[in-house]
Structures are given as C-alpha cells and as structure tokens.
Amino acid sequence: MSHQSDLIEKDISAYLKSHAEKGFIRFITCGSVDDGKSTLIGRLLYDSKMIFEDQLSALEKDSKKVGTQGQNIDFALLVDGLAAEREQGITIDVAYRYFSTDKRKFIVADTPGHEQYTRNMATGASTADLAILMIDARKGILTQTKRHSFIISLLGIKHVVLAINKMDLIEFDQNIFEEIDKNYRNFANKLGFHNIVSIPVSALGGDNIIEKSEKTDWYNGPMLMEHLETVQIEEQNVSAPFRLPVQWVNRPNLDFRGFSGTVSAGNIAVGDEIVALPNAKTSTVKGILGTSGEKNHATFGEAITICLEDEIDISRGDVIAKINERPETTDQFQAHVIWMHEEHLLPGRPYLIKTNNQTTEGVVTELKHKINVNSLEHESGKTLELNEVGLINISLNQSIAYDPYTENKSMGSFIIIDKFTNSTVACGMIKFGLRRASNVHWQAVDVDKKSRSEQKHQKAKILWFTGLSGSGKSTIANLVEKKLHATGRHTYLLDGDNVRHGLNKDLGFTDVDRVENIRRIGEVSKLMVDAGLIVLTAFISPFRAERQMVRQMMDKDEFIEIFVDTPLEICEERDIKGLYKKARSGNLKNFTGIDSPYEIPKTAEIHVNTLDNTAEEAAEYIVQKLVS
Amino acid sequence: MSLSHLERLEAESIHIIREVASTSSNPVMLYSIGKDSAVMLHLALKAFAPGTLPFPVLHVDTTWKFKEMIEFRNQMAKHHDLNLLVHINQDGLKEGVGPFTHGSANHTEIMKTIALKQALNKHRFDAAFGGARRDEEKSRAKERIFSFRSETHRWDPKNQRPELWNIYNTRINKDESVRVFPLSNWTELDIWQYIHLENIPIVPLYLAAKRPVVERDGQLIMVDDERIPLDENEEIMHKMIRFRTLGCYPLTGAVESEATTIEEIIQEMLLTRTSERQGRVIDQDTGASMEQKKQEGYF
C-alpha cells in the first residue's frame, strides 16, 4: 500500500520521483444520513495508511467513549470534524480529505445527505471529477439518491460509482445487488453520465474496498480503490479551444506588461494570434511566463502570464482566446441556478454576478421554470427558495465572454452575490446566450419611456393613493415604496411634505387651488413615469374628476388608483395632526370630510380597508396585487 | 499532457493569491517563518514575477521564537525585497508575558492571538493570507479557502459561504476581513515534496543537528537562550534533533533524528508515523479545542 513501498527505505530519491509524477483526481461522496459515508471515507484513509499513530490512539479512545460501534473502531469519528456534528452524530458541512496511494493522490469532498444541505453537495460537486453514491442495500434507490444524482449531473460530473453498502446486512445477496444496479441505470439514463460502476461493499467490514471480498464470489468487477486508481477522466479541457480569463494585469515597471491568469482550457504557444474579449482587440503572443520561468507553450490548468506584441488595452475579467476560436460574448443568457440562501430569489433585484474573474451587476429577468429535484419535473414558480433549482434568464449591465457550462466549466459558471449582505446566494451554469434580437438594451435607438423603464427592469406606473386626511395614505405609501425599493424597483414618492412646501407653496385649500394642486402633481408624475419610474402619490385628492384627469394624462394601465378606505369617524378619532379638532372648532376652513366633500372612488384598481388590516398588511397586499 | 498533482496544487494556490491581490484593497501575507510559510511566500513570488509582492508580509513576533527563525526571516526579507512588518504586543512585552511565567495558554493568547488582532486592526488589513492546510486538523478540514471574520475577528463555522469551482466571493462589509488559505489542499507530504523539488530555503532547525535540549513532560525542549529556567536536577543534553513544526521555542517539542537533508526528512516522515501537530503543546487538549480557538480568532 501507499507509503509502505520498499523504495522509501532503500531509495528515497527514486520514491520521491515516482510520487511526484503520479496523477490526481477529486471525488465527492454523497448519500443519506445513515448510509455509511463517513465510515467509508474513514476506511479509505485507514486502509491507505493515512492515519498516524497518535490519531489512531485518539480514535480508539473516542470510539469507546462516543462511538457507535461498541468496542470496535468507529471510522466515522475520523472525519466528523466540527464539535456540533459530533454531538448530533451527523455531518453538517462539506469537508475535504486527502489520501494517496502509489498510483494517485485523492481529494475527497465529504458532503451531507439531508435535503437542507443540498447547497453543500453542489459545492463539493463543483470541483469533483467523480461521484461515489452511497446506497444502503436494504433500502435501495431512495428519493435522496435521485436528488444527489440530479445535482451531480447538473454540476457536470460524468463518472459515477454506485457503492451499494451494508451488503453484510443482506447476506451479500447477488439478486438484490443486481436489482438495485438495474433500477439505478433505468433512472439515470437521462442524466448524461459517461459511466456508472456498481460495487457491492461493506464499509464497516472492508469488503471490496481494497481487497476482494470472499463473500461476493459472484462479483467480477473492480474493487472500489482499484477503480478510483484507474478510472480515466477525460481531459476534455486540454483539447478544447484556448481560454485565459485575465485575473491580474502584471505591470511591475515600464518594460514589462503581462496578463496573468489560469488557463481554463486548451493550449497556447509563443507566436499564436490572439483576441481579447469582449472588446475584440487582437495581437500576437510574444512570451509566456510559467511557474518555472519563460516557456514556449502552456496548457490547461497552468497559472501563467502572457506578454503580447502590441500594447492593447486588456483588463481583469477579459478573456484571451485564439483569434479563430473565439468564445461568444453576451449580456443576457439562460442558465441553471441552484439557490443557496435563506433569502429567496427576487426577480428584478440587482445582484452581483461573478463569473471567472469578472464581477458585473445583473438581474434575473425571468424564471422559466423550477426543477423538482426529487421528480426532475418542471414546475412553474415566481421565485426560488433555498436548495431549489431553476432555469432563469439573466441580464447583465455589461457584456462578458462565456462558453456553455457543458463545454467549459470554468467559462460557463458563475455565482450570484447579494449586493448588500455580500452573501453568495446562488450558483449558476450557463446554458446559452440569448440572441441579440431579444436584447432590448442594445437595440433601442431612441431613448423613450419604454427603453428607460426596461433599463430599470420595471413597468413605469403611477400609484395614486387617495383617502381622507388621517386615513393612512402616507404611511402605507411609504411602506409600499420601501418594499418596491428592496426588490430593486426605481421609485419616487410625492406627498404633502415634498410638494406643498415647494412646487405648490403658492396654493391654498380652496376648491380651485385643490384642482390646480392635483393638476401639477399629475404633470410632475407624468414626467417621472416618462423617466421610467414608479411614482407613488399620497394626497387626499377628494374629487373624482381630478383623479380622472390624471388618469387620462397617462397611458393605459399606468394609472393605479388605490383607495385607502378609512371611515371619517376613525380618521377623526386618530386625528394624528390635530386637524379635525381645528376644523370642528372652525379654525380650519375647507377641510375634507368636515366642510368640504370627499368623493369616494368608484373604479379604484386597489381597495384597502384599514380597519381590518394593519398598514404593513395593507402595503403587502398592494405589492402582491401589483406583482400579479 | 496533464499536470502532476503538485503542478495542479501550485497553479491553484497562485490563482488564489492573485485573486486576493486583485480584489482586496489592503491585503497582507502572514509569515510565520515555518515551512508552510516558506512555500506560501515562494508561490506568491511566482504569482507576481517578474515583479515584487504587491502586499506586505507580517510577522507576529511573540519574542519567544527561535533565534534562527528571526535571522532567517530577516535574510528572506532582504533577499526578496519584502515589505516586512513585525508586530509585537507591547502591552504583553511590558508585563513580561512569557510561557514560563504565564503558562502556554495565556502566552499564546496574549502574544499571538491578541497580537495578531492588534496588527490587523492597526493596519486595517481587509485580507490576510495564512499557511494553514486542511489536513492538519479536523476543524480545518471544513474551513473555506476564503474564510470570513466578523469585525471582532471571529469565525462562525455554521455560517460559511459556499465555495464553488475556483470562483471566490471576496466581498466583505466594512470592518469585516477575510483569512485566505492558499495551501488548503496541500498535505504535509506535498509541502516537503515541493520544498525538495523547488529547492525552497527553510529554517535550518528543520534539519537534524546536535543541539542543547532538556526533557520536560516527555517533550524535548531546546535551550535556545538563557530565559529558560532550569531545575536543579535538570541537565542540558546535546542531542541530534530536528523540529517538525516551528513556533515559540519553549512550546515546541523536538524529535530525535538523523535526517540532515530534505530527502531524509521525507523518508523519516513516511517511516515514522506520528502526525506533525503532536509537537505543538497547544493542541493537546480535547478534540474540539482548535475549533474553539479559531472561533476566538486564533489563526
């Protein structure tokens, strides 16, 4: 086994040489809570002699104290790292483990099985070449198995090992093994895996992990470790078109100007003609600086710095490609996303979209459908919650160069970041760019109301709140504005405070002045709607005719009349500003409801009743009405 | 065609280091002078060649490091034209805090953990590279490469950002900071192998030589200066020893060894089988102690 090679003792130099040249794969283990994942990983570490003596003695001690295997070693304790997990006896996050054999070095992502941590599985799968799916032989294919399979296929894993575990508990029954294998292949045929290998194992007893088990003489396939050591992972990225996403512009002095990054696909040589995207400037490779100095040639995976013949303007986030193998550029694309945060997706809210080295602002313009991770069926929806998967359209505020995720993981992946909390809220896999024909940003020649409001990803509107003094118009309008703002809408609230003291300070409260007041507010609102804004107005506006006048200034569907319905006696009882008292005592003339009429709207689009609802409930109701 | 595992690790680390330099406004590299720091510094120099490092290097000096470590540090700084910052907790120094008088836990807390926070606050660094590896210790296996710290430098293991592909979310809010571990995916063997292949200079204490030691509580402690109080019945021995990790000399146990070359170190490491943190006095508590220290701000 590993590190036990005689070479270590006899010829350490030769051993080191062979060790330096060995290969490398990363895999992920997924399974349900009690399938024995941690036990399997503990077993691989133990059997490949990666556990040191002091760790082993601690393990023996812990096994007797908190282990679940009586006096035997509980391998799961080796990998259950965080204190909280030890208490709960489950794995709650993704953990990475390292071991190597004489043939390969392995990095294992150990990820939890229960549904609420799907995001961690996606995290582990994003860097894995292969997945081991743990199956409890007594239970067969579970919903969780299907969910895990879907997620790893979405993340582009092509190699699957079905570790059918706990064979000792079903007396190593060949029929059960074959039944599970058949069922799984039937289920997985649409997931695009290149190969599926089923192995009957007992992680606890070590059967078919390293050594062939005597109890499965009917099984002729590889042992688990043997398969991991020999499986061929396609180096699809080596033969793919060259891509260098520029990470850092290296300009230490006036004589040197290089573009640094990690080659995400293909290869490049000195003398090759290149193009930098999205600006499409071209040049020729003058020199390549690798990790061991100057070189003529670089390939997938290397961290390099490229120098060019011409002084062209390239910055971080640009992608260098060969001139005849360009990636596409777009500012709108369709992508699968996995939502990873408790705060659900808000279409229309501006998020930060980080692709390879490039951070732009973008909004989700459409949720095409959700995908039920258990049934794989498409479902409609307005938002994505934590751990939900969906197909979305995204619009960016600048163009990026990309490749579809299935062709180049690094050029087709992105994360979504909340602008205010900086949390990573989702990850995405680009399917394709949306055609320019549907791209309103670039097509718009005349800047008009439509283009202005589409740039803000909204429909310009006026929300006209009307109601008696003290009915709660301003309070509710304020709450509605806050809610709209939080979802990325561009708004403006006109109310007594910002109109009566400025624009309309020459007006009093006679009927004529009231009409002029509303006319001016209407005209200002119209300009703001033309600018693409959602305008909220909170005025008593007692006369039907003036409300109708403003309605007619606007285009169809732009004027939303909202009647804040509070009976006079309640308003008078509240009398927040003391105005009713003044009016009743005759110190305030022409007060609506007392000595001036209020004409109740007959055609209001939205009617809120403040007796049965709090201001917050009323505001939420209005926002819901607007969205639907 | 495809890269060996060391080449892949090297490229990954350089990618991480460049990403921080590109996206953080005031990064710093924590330099502990040990072998992992040596590899991290070597990778950073490669990342920005032919230029120099675009950020300073910080050493938190507890004043109890081995003399040879400090000499080595100063040589490296000169040789690579580093912007070396050295921080000492002056309050602790005034009070004469040390492992012999205040105990290892207090000493580490005051001269290392608090000193580090002081230095990070003083210079307002928003990103700090550390040389920790995930294979060192169980709680590190779950830490992200980009690990966020609150304004009080605390780590919340339950609230870590998902980290996918090689796309790192480096954004932080005001007064938060991020610790970045470019060597996360390296193992102890990888580190030695790389030092060997690349001829990376390391502090000579890693190689065996005859050195003065005393035996205490089963550990061999080197007599590095006169500050070590000796019992009457304690006698200084001269033994062939080396160190698997380096820190404060009173807290770092030596191993008896004949390994005087890197190759022999690797050979010895592969044949004797105790994990490297065993020599650190601070770790030998219960299983969860490192996690607790990390939550409190220990690197």
Side-chain angles (χ1 to χ4, degrees), chain A residues 13 34 65 67 103 111 145 149 155-156 169 172 227 274 298 313 319 333 354 363 386 467 495 538 550 576:
Chain A
S13 300
D34 297 318
K65 203 168 78 191
K103 297 197 179 71
T111 58
T145 318
S149 302
L155 270 295
L169 300 180
F172 295 90
H227 181 63
I274 61 94
D313 183 29
V319 173
F333 55 78
K354 185 168 184 184
V363 293
L386 175 63
D495 62 12
V550 180
I576 299 154

Side-chain angles (χ1 to χ4, degrees), chain A residues 20, chain B residues 6 192-200:
Chain B
L6 282 175
W192 282 117
Q193 181 103 40
Y194 191 67
I195 288 172
H196 173 62
L197 277 176
E198 298 270 316
N199 278 317
I200 300 172

Side-chain angles (χ1 to χ4, degrees), chain A residues 3 8-9 12-13 15-16 19-20 22 24 26 49 51-55 77-78 81-86 91-98 105 107 122-123 126-127 155 235 238 247-248 250 252 256 260-262 289 291 299-305 316 340 352 354 357 405 413-415 417 420-424 427-429, chain B residues 1-6 8-12 14-16 18-19 21-23 46-52 54 134-136 138-139 141-142 144 155 157-158 160-173 184-190 193 196-198 263-264 266-267 269-275 278 287-288 291:
Chain A
H3 307 157
I8 296 174
E9 246 180 306
I12 183 73
S13 300
Y15 171 82
L16 286 176
H19 187 93
K22 68 188 174 192
F24 175 92
R26 298 180 71 136
K49 309 285 188 285
I51 297 169
F52 292 109
E53 279 159 15
D54 53 337
Q55 292 173 330
L77 290 179
L78 269 178
L82 299 181
E85 301 180 344
R86 285 202 184 181
T91 316
I92 58 168
D93 201 332
V94 55
Y96 296 91
R97 313 285 167 196
Y98 306 84
K105 176 189 164 96
I107 299 185
T123 302
S126 72
T127 51
L155 270 295
E235 292 280 358
V238 175
Q247 197 182 10
W248 168 263
N250 191 353
F256 187 90
S260 304
T262 308
L289 194 58
T291 53
T299 189
F300 160 67
E302 288 187 64
I304 59 168
T305 300
R316 174 177 159 85
M340 303 182 131
L352 293 173
K354 185 168 184 184
N357 307 340
Y405 186 75
S413 51
F414 61 92
I415 57 172
I417 302 170
F420 301 101
T421 64
N422 288 326
S423 303
T424 300
C427 70
M429 283 73 55
Chain B
M1 270 304 268
S2 53
L3 306 181
S4 75
H5 80 274
L6 282 175
R8 276 181 69 161
L9 289 171
E10 179 189 56
E12 179 186 69
I14 290 174
H15 182 88
I16 293 162
R18 284 175 176 162
E19 192 66 9
S22 303
T23 58
K46 284 190 177 200
F48 304 107
T52 50
R134 286 184 181 140
D135 80 325
E136 277 178 81
K138 271 192 264 183
S139 82
K142 310 211 160 181
R144 306 289 188 256
W155 179 55
K158 289 229 175 100
Q160 301 195 81
R161 292 178 184 171
E163 203 161 73
L164 293 106
W165 303 288
N166 60 353
I167 305 181
Y168 302 105
N169 175 358
T170 57
R171 299 180 64 87
I172 48 170
N173 285 318
S184 288
N185 286 327
W186 295 60
T187 61
E188 186 183 14
L189 181 59
D190 296 328
Q193 181 103 40
H196 173 62
L197 277 176
E198 298 270 316
E263 286 192 359
E264 285 169 5
I266 298 174
Q267 188 172 30
M269 189 184 99
L270 293 175
L271 294 175
T272 67
R273 299 174 25 87
T274 42
S275 70
Q278 205 202 23
E291 187 184 339

